[in-house]
Amino acid sequence: MTVALHSAESPSPARTDQPLLEGRGVSKFFGGLAALTDVDFQVYRGEVMGLIGPNGSGKTTLFDCLSCVQRVSQGEIHFKGTDITKFKPYQVAHLGLARTFQVIRVYRKLTVLENMLLSLQWGNLTMRNKFRPNSAETEARARQLIDFLLLKRVTDEKAGNLSGGQQRLLEIGMALMPDPDLLLLDEATSGVNPTLIEEIKSRIRILNEEQGKTFLLIEHNVQFISDLCSRVFVLNYGEKLAEGTPDEIMNNQEVIEAYFGAEAGDDDGF
Amino acid sequence: MEQLTQATINGVMLGGYYAVMVLGFSIIWGVMGVINLAHGEFIMIGAYLTWIMNKQFGWEPLTAIIVVVPVMFVLGYILQRILINRIIDRPYLISLLVTFSLAIIIANATKLIFTATPRTVNTVYSGFWRIGETSITVPKTRAIVLIAALIIMGLLWLFLQRTRLGKSIRAAAQNREAARIVGIEIAAVYALTFAICIALTGAAGVLISPTTPIYPFMGGPLTLKAFAITAMSGLGSIPGALAGGVVLGLVETLIATFVPGVGTNLGIVSSFVILVVVLVVRPQGLFGGLKAAEAH
Amino acid sequence: MLATWRRYKLTRWLALVLLIVLILLPLPQFLAPERKLVTNSLLFSFTQLFMLIWMASNWNAFSGFTGYVDFGHAVFFGLGAYGTGVLMVKLGVPFPIAVLGGAIVAAIFAFLIGSATLRLKGPYFSIAMLGTFVAMREIVRIIKPITGGGSGLTLPPYLNRPLFYYVTLIGMAIVVLLIWLMRRTQFGASLIAIREDEVGAEMRGINTTRHKITIFCLACFSTGIVGGLWAYQNTFIDPDIVFFESRTIELVMMTILGGLGTVAGPVVGATVLYWLRDIIWANFLDYHLIVQGIMLILIVLFVPEGIMGIIGDPDSTSLGRLWKKHFGQGEETEQPTTTTEVQS
């Protein structure tokens, strides 16, 4: 696995290599309502990309399309060079794309360790292998990740009893279990206290820089985005509004207008 | 040819009845997300009430509707308050198990009270109308049942479209959260919806009484038919219920007419087959009417 | 292989089950009708209980683990019974092969109906199974040349109570053991994930449809075996006694009373309810189904986690919390990690 590192200081130049994840003209309609219109984007191996936009701009819908929970209405999505547009969610997961959720989805009645073990569903795990118990290595890996994500104290606690921030960390851990190439994190910092946000940030940085994991983050926390991301992609009303380095985006007049609804004439705001 | 025409007429008349029968089921599902597996049992209660009015007081079966509807409304309201209210917004597992138990309780309680003997009601509208010079006939009772069914559906449509409560029910069916935000008192709407649907279902029991024997375990197959029609028609859609009801009615009568030696036993099998076929062929976008309740 | 198996930690529940099996195994040796200590009817009674535990475990392995309620599990019992009966009576197949054939028939039908309805999430499966149950009884009645229709089939009589006792006891123990092992594998855990959050499970890489159909077929195969055993023991089958309404209800009740989705739940629930049922039958002969229905509602509403839930995790049920509040130690009711945030 080649690891191309891009720190926040060196904005990526125009890329010529093949993107890890690519959307071509992605559109999603709900009845007559367009949630996404003709969105093009590329995520390259080894980068941390931010996905921002006002509420209702289609960020989570885009995530749902990428993980194939929602079928796109038009356009194509390619992951690792494979057209995944018509894949089932579990097939995408087997290819190495993992995600977390805006509304936390941990198995509340299972313990943290059980949650982790359950999330190991990689592609080569055949039905026959599934009837064998988890190997010692698997459990060791789960415990290692739990430790890494500061959840050691609650390893045998039911996930439903964890705080919101701990559940977010657990979700990240569950996404990491199958050793994916790309992680989609949907609002990993919402409802998390500031100390823990710093921890999440440092974990993402370690995963990115030391293990070469690629990230696509939906975020509202501006500081979080500008600290972590090399590139930011902005959605507004389901359309691509801007793309660039965090600095460029923060100073982009259109983006500011979209967020604060300043002078935009036809903008009723949210 | 005449046999086919006859079967078609019978099927359409049966379908009209099915449409009324299914609406209570599909509206409760659409509004509350509760699948009422005791639906057929409520029809059965309506039918038994009709039989009592008919036998004890000599009422014409269809006039029993003025007694059955209020009684069932009250029954539905009480049941919603003490039982159904606890299972709204819970996993399907819970609501299915509870309504399933309710069905067993009602059916067996009825058996205890009225014994398993099938009952029939007496009506003055027996006999047939003959159409022209052909051998095609229209049974008077079934025709009257069809007319009554259409009137009930018309009233229901007016209620849902024109009244404040009806609009609240439709709003709650489409989006519970939004309905709450715009100031609809959702608990009251649920209770009234359930009561109205049970009253409607009781009325369906009145309508069924002149055409079939009434016995404690008649409910199970009716619930299944209600589901088969709902699978075709969508949740809470009156035109959909009519279309789905007529399809099931036609399939049942045509099979009973043209497949020899199976009789009416296969009626239940045909609704089962329709159900499975619909689930296989159009699993997504199955529901045309109100928005389907989300799974889990 | 053995090394892998050693990794399953033996819990006290499993030890208890094995102990009970070992105690029960030699019971027929004490068969002494004249002293009324161990009679044939006692063996028969135990045999019935073992069959119920066996079937409740099957039902639980599918419905309890995945959360998809199978309201027509008796269909597979019936297919097993009729498969065995038809093979033995019409084709003269010896019993062991016939019972296997019956179970395969049940599994094949489970595959067909499962492929059609388990692709859908939500309640469709449950209602389709309710329909299957009602329809199957009529279908069996209609195809008279094969099934004997309403007048039923008479199997070659074979009245060896101890044999049925041994077979059902060992079969039940094996099934409980297998389910216990399954719960500890990725497969078993995946089923729980499907129950807890199916969409999430799918996005985490679980092919939910395939899992659901696999466990459904396995459970129905196992129930088919019970059906075959029952048919042979009863020596007579007809649509009404085989496709008997309360057969499924009982399984559902037993499992939920014991603890849905727990391995020991069906065993405990079936045992409790089987003896309780004798009391209900004796005292409320006419309305035992009404009592059962009311019990089921009360259990579902107030003790949804069942007996095992209360024993294993008192906090998860309202009754358990009440119990703990009044009889447990005060400190334990505090949940240690609810409010504490992890600090760096």
Side-chain angles (χ1 to χ4, degrees), chain A residues 80-195:
Chain A
K80 286 179 162 176
T82 312
D83 183 356
I84 59 165
T85 318
K86 296 221 158 64
F87 270 36
K88 294 244 166 60
Y90 64 87
Q91 294 172 311
V92 182
H94 289 176
L95 258 186
L97 186 151
R99 72 172 286 192
T100 67
F101 305 91
Q102 187 179 6
V103 179
I104 296 174
R105 290 193 123 125
V106 294
Y107 305 113
R108 302 177 62 85
K109 286 181 184 163
L110 301 180
T111 67
V112 168
L113 183 65
E114 281 175 315
N115 265 282
M116 294 292 285
L117 290 173
L118 195 50
S119 308
L120 185 79
Q121 300 284 349
W122 50 44
N124 60 10
L125 194 63
T126 60
M127 221 51 175
R128 205 166 67 95
N129 280 333
K130 289 193 131 198
F131 282 100
R132 301 209 175 115
N134 291 305
S135 67
E137 302 89 81
T138 310
E139 196 175 320
R141 177 177 164 73
R143 287 187 185 279
Q144 197 189 341
L145 273 169
I146 289 172
D147 201 15
F148 174 71
L149 293 165
L150 314 164
L151 294 169
K152 194 168 187 176
R153 249 162 30 92
V154 291
T155 305
D156 295 314
E157 192 68 42
K158 292 241 164 91
N161 294 342
L162 266 56
S163 73
Q166 289 173 319
Q167 291 187 2
R168 294 258 178 232
L169 280 168
L170 175 57
E171 273 211 322
I172 296 176
M174 290 165 80
L176 282 169
M177 259 319 264
D179 201 18
D181 298 296
L182 174 64
L183 280 100
L184 312 179
L185 304 188
D186 196 343
E187 299 198 14
T189 64
S190 89
V192 181
N193 75 32
T195 335

Side-chain angles (χ1 to χ4, degrees), chain B residues 94-119:
Chain B
I94 306 264
S95 67
L96 287 173
L97 286 172
V98 167
T99 55
F100 183 59
S101 312
L102 195 60
I104 295 164
I105 295 169
I106 295 175
N108 285 285
T110 311
K111 185 186 161 200
L112 210 61
I113 300 166
F114 296 104
T115 75
T117 317
R119 315 286 183 172

Side-chain angles (χ1 to χ4, degrees), chain B residues 35 37 83 86 92-94 96-98 100-101 104-105 108-109 112 224 227 265-266 268 272 279-280 283 287, chain C residues 69 71 116 119-120 123-124 126-127 131-132 134-135 138 142 249 252 256 260 286-287 289-290 293-294 296-297:
Chain B
I35 295 162
L37 293 181
L83 188 64
R86 295 169 187 275
Y92 275 119
L93 182 85
I94 306 264
L96 287 173
L97 286 172
V98 167
F100 183 59
S101 312
I104 295 164
I105 295 169
N108 285 285
L112 210 61
L224 181 65
F227 190 79
N265 270 350
L266 214 67
I268 193 64
F272 164 69
L279 291 180
V280 172
F287 298 110
Chain C
V69 194
F71 279 125
R119 291 183 302 131
L120 310 174
Y124 308 104
S126 301
I127 293 154
T132 311
V134 182
E138 300 308 325
I142 290 164
I249 306 164
V252 177
I256 290 178
L260 196 69
D286 286 330
Y287 35 110
L289 270 168
I290 304 176
I294 294 170
L296 188 53
I297 289 184

Side-chain angles (χ1 to χ4, degrees), chain C:
Chain C
M1 195 63 184
L2 206 72
T4 355
W5 280 46
R6 214 168 278 139
R7 287 196 40 76
Y8 295 113
K9 293 182 197 102
L10 204 74
T11 69
R12 55 207 157 116
W13 290 113
L14 183 75
L16 196 66
V17 169
L18 288 176
L19 188 71
I20 292 169
V21 169
L22 281 177
I23 292 171
L24 287 173
L25 206 52
L27 193 70
Q29 300 302 322
F30 302 103
L31 196 64
E34 65 284 356
R35 272 182 292 151
K36 294 195 169 178
L37 189 67
V38 178
T39 57
N40 265 323
S41 82
L42 183 74
L43 286 189
F44 178 74
S45 195
F46 266 111
T47 310
Q48 297 299 307
L49 173 62
F50 298 153
M51 286 186 184
L52 282 170
I53 294 177
W54 188 340
M55 281 202 288
S57 295
N58 297 338
W59 188 84
N60 180 52
F62 175 70
S63 295
F65 283 6
T66 65
Y68 279 75
V69 194
D70 176 1
F71 279 125
H73 207 59
V75 165
F76 305 100
F77 174 88
L79 284 172
Y82 263 99
T84 308
V86 170
L87 283 173
M88 286 179 79
V89 175
K90 307 276 173 180
L91 301 172
V93 175
F95 173 71
I97 299 167
V99 79
L100 203 66
I104 289 170
V105 169
I108 290 172
F109 186 72
F111 179 76
L112 293 176
I113 195 88
S115 307
T117 55
L118 282 173
R119 291 183 302 131
L120 310 174
K121 298 178 178 66
Y124 308 104
F125 168 79
S126 301
I127 293 154
M129 284 315 299
L130 204 61
T132 311
F133 175 72
V134 182
M136 189 54 77
R137 182 164 44 190
E138 300 308 325
I139 291 169
V140 167
R141 232 191 279 276
I142 290 164
I143 47 173
K144 213 168 184 157
I146 303 170
T147 61
S151 46
L153 277 181
T154 306
L155 280 76
Y158 184 77
L159 296 167
N160 185 344
R161 294 250 186 271
L163 184 83
F164 283 112
Y165 178 89
Y166 287 129
V167 171
T168 49
L169 174 60
I170 292 165
M172 169 204 80
I174 290 173
V175 165
V176 172
L177 188 74
L178 283 177
I179 293 171
W180 184 82
L181 289 172
M182 185 192 79
R183 174 64 186 84
R184 265 137 200 87
T185 62
Q186 278 288 325
F187 183 80
S190 306
L191 299 181
I192 304 286
I194 290 171
R195 184 185 70 195
E196 296 294 311
D197 174 11
E198 185 162 356
V199 178
E202 194 145 341
M203 281 187 277
R204 293 194 171 107
I206 298 172
N207 183 345
T208 52
T209 306
R210 212 168 132 205
H211 278 76
K212 285 186 282 184
I213 294 175
T214 306
I215 185 63
F216 187 49
C217 291
L218 290 173
C220 292
F221 178 82
S222 181
T223 297
I225 295 178
V226 185
L229 287 168
W230 186 87
Y232 197 33
Q233 187 206 38
N234 202 52
T235 69
F236 175 73
I237 47 175
D238 77 18
D240 284 322
I241 56 167
V242 168
F243 297 100
F244 183 45
E245 268 94 359
S246 78
R247 208 179 293 285
T248 310
I249 306 164
E250 266 177 11
L251 300 183
V252 177
M253 268 191 76
M254 287 167 171
T255 309
I256 290 178
L257 178 69
L260 196 69
T262 61
V263 180
V267 183
V268 175
T271 311
V272 170
L273 211 65
Y274 185 72
W275 304 119
L276 203 65
R277 191 180 62 172
D278 277 359
I279 302 168
I280 298 175
W281 270 98
N283 293 317
F284 313 98
L285 199 59
D286 286 330
Y287 35 110
H288 76 279
L289 270 168
I290 304 176
V291 176
Q292 281 191 1
I294 294 170
M295 277 173 66
L296 188 53
I297 289 184
L298 293 177
I299 296 168
V300 167
L301 287 182
F302 299 108
V303 211
E305 312 277 330
I307 295 171
M308 293 310 296
I310 298 176
I311 297 173
D313 181 13
D315 293 326
S316 64
T317 61
S318 45
L319 205 69
R321 276 194 296 274
L322 204 68
W323 172 269
K324 218 172 165 183
K325 195 173 156 193
H326 292 289
F327 303 103
Q329 279 105 30
E331 298 87 59
E332 280 184 25
T333 49
E334 296 285 325
Q335 292 178 356
T337 53
T338 313
T339 48
T340 48
E341 193 79 59
V342 171
Q343 302 293 332
S344 58

